[in-house]
Amino acid sequence: MKLNLKIWRQKDAKSKGEMKDYPINGIEGDMSFLEMLDVLNEELINKGEEPVQFDHDCREGICGSCSLQINGEPHGPDRLVTTCQLHMRKFNDGDTIVIEPFRATAFPVIKDLVIDRSAFDRIQQVGGYVSVNTSGNTVDANATPIEKENADDSFYAATCIGCGACVAACKNASAMLFTSAKVSQFALLPQGKVEATERVQNMVRQMDLEGFGNCTNTGACEVECPKGISLENIARMNREYLSANVKG
């Protein structure tokens, strides 16, 4: 395939960025989107030009670091896949592909297509954990019966990889889907009940402090989420938050 790439280039966090055109040839349909970018960067390096910086790690849809806005959609035109799982057969010969970083105040651009998602880390740090009794009187987790529906819902919530597609898809740049998934995976289990009140209050407070917007129930976050995290988690977090504040 022959393609025209329009890619956001930005020297650093303080510099003004711009879109630049890069024609590219010889792209195969079985290539992943990141492999296509690898081909482009090899060409740029051979010409003595600065390669395009983008995040990646596992390239297996697990780490969530490869997040790109492709033709206006987080992770591109496919569904339930990350950018690294997107294949070039989703595009046609002669297509123009616009590639940008995720756009949100809480996700500042570091360079080119690389963004700073440490806001998610800080939300996790204030409540995304359970305290473990290491006194020698610990109880085997398997000794606590859990309803299968709750166990399944907790597992599904825990599949969130923190890529930020929900934020990028939301017109308000809301992180409610991410935060609610992290709250839900603990709220549904007995081990998470002890710190439930503090967890939801602290995580919602930190989410607001990071500058994420409010949820207005558009639903774009669930549609674009590569793991299909459900909006039901947002409803659950709202119930947890209301209950925590009433108890408080």
Side-chain angles (χ1 to χ4, degrees), residues 147 169-170 188 198 219:
E147 291 185 11
C170 180
L188 289 159
E198 293 82 3

Side-chain angles (χ1 to χ4, degrees), residues 54-164:
F54 61 93
D55 255 338
H56 64 93
D57 190 2
C58 72
R59 297 201 178 203
E60 294 180 343
I62 298 171
C63 70
S65 64
C66 62
S67 307
L68 297 177
Q69 193 87 347
I70 303 166
N71 286 344
E73 292 187 82
H75 298 300
D78 210 350
R79 289 292 174 265
L80 299 176
V81 298
T82 55
T83 299
C84 64
Q85 295 173 304
L86 177 66
H87 285 87
M88 296 310 297
R89 55 179 170 267
K90 286 291 180 180
F91 303 93
N92 299 312
D93 184 47
D95 276 357
T96 294
I97 305 176
V98 180
I99 309 169
E100 301 173 86
F102 282 176
R103 302 292 190 181
T105 301
F107 289 162
V109 175
I110 297 174
K111 184 173 182 177
D112 292 342
L113 305 175
V114 181
I115 59 172
D116 180 359
R117 276 173 295 192
S118 59
F120 272 7
D121 295 331
R122 290 187 288 273
I123 293 173
Q124 280 271 72
Q125 288 164 3
V126 298
Y129 57 85
V130 291
S131 296
V132 179
N133 181 358
T134 57
S135 65
N137 298 314
T138 54
V139 177
D140 191 320
N142 292 326
T144 306
I146 302 171
E147 291 185 11
K148 185 178 188 304
E149 184 179 354
N150 288 342
D152 287 346
D153 288 346
S154 175
F155 177 83
Y156 294 144
T159 60
C160 168
I161 56 176
C163 66

Side-chain angles (χ1 to χ4, degrees), residues 2-17:
K2 181 179 181 181
L3 302 167
N4 180 46
L5 308 179
K6 290 183 175 292
I7 302 178
W8 181 260
R9 301 304 306 265
Q10 185 171 332
K11 184 179 179 181
D12 53 46
K14 296 181 180 179
S15 300
K16 183 178 179 181

